[in-house]
Amino acid sequence: EPARLAEFFPVYYTATSVVTVVLQGTVTPYVLDRQGLGVSLAVLPAVLLVGGAASLVFGGLTAIVLLRGAEAVLANSFFRSAYEPLYTPLPPNQKRSTKAIIDVAADRFGDALGSFGILVALAVVPAQVGVIALALALAAALVTLSLVRRLQRGYVEELATSLRLGLVRISEHVVADAATRLTLSQAHGQLGRGTLLRGVAAPR
């Protein structure tokens, strides 16, 4: 009923917002600092995979609401906090254009793709649209999990290359994740050694 929906949505959005803020201030920085970007990125698809499978088994509106709330919380805490640093290897002039393409075009394309899948399900098997929507979410979570490991490895390689070439400069004080901090220390060590060797070779 409209009156019950009007009571439900303020509670839902208040609860998800409060939990998101708490996670951002406590658990998310700890996981980023201790485990790095890969684990932080994997939290959202892993929870969706487990929660989606549980929703398929047990069903019911409560399971769907909890799954949707978990997605909203984790996307704005763990995933967003680990996603933003992925632009670090890019020079400033490339970062703006690349971020616009990914944040706008790619994100909207994902929304359109998911919506198209729901429209097809409604047209073909309307009675099973909930199950198909969950199956699509599970498939997306599984693909994301398979990409996370490669994504972190690629990020570390690109960041190390950008640091060696001098394309980006990063202050250690603003680094929040373990992968960037380790890459930064290794790159600085290599740069320092190369500078020292060149300085020794010059008098010879």
Side-chain angles (χ1 to χ4, degrees), residues 176-193:
D177 64 281
T180 303
R181 188 164 50 250
L182 179 60
T183 306
L184 190 60
S185 63
Q186 291 176 344
H188 281 174
Q190 292 172 359
L191 289 172
R193 182 174 180 273

Side-chain angles (χ1 to χ4, degrees), residues 49 134-144:
L49 198 61
L134 278 173
L136 290 174
L138 287 173
L142 195 60
V143 171
T144 304

Side-chain angles (χ1 to χ4, degrees), residues 6-29:
E7 295 174 357
F8 165 75
F9 280 110
V11 175
Y12 171 82
Y13 285 114
T14 300
T16 54
S17 298
V18 169
V19 175
T20 299
V21 171
V22 171
L23 284 180
Q24 283 179 331
T26 56
V27 183
T28 302

Side-chain angles (χ1 to χ4, degrees), residues 16 56 68 71 96 104 106 127 145 167 170 179 188 190 199:
T16 54
L56 281 176
R68 182 65 183 88
E71 189 276 336
R96 285 188 293 271
V104 178
L145 274 177
L167 299 177
I170 308 172
H188 281 174
Q190 292 172 359

Side-chain angles (χ1 to χ4, degrees), residues 82-133:
Y83 163 77
E84 290 295 337
L86 294 177
Y87 293 104
T88 304
L90 295 176
N93 59 331
Q94 293 183 18
K95 184 183 295 186
R96 285 188 293 271
S97 57
T98 305
K99 201 171 188 302
I101 292 172
I102 294 176
D103 286 0
V104 178
D107 196 31
R108 295 289 79 81
F109 176 75
D111 290 342
L113 196 62
S115 301
F116 178 74
I118 300 299
L119 285 174
V120 172
L122 283 169
V124 178
V125 280
Q128 299 296 321
V129 66
V131 174
I132 293 174

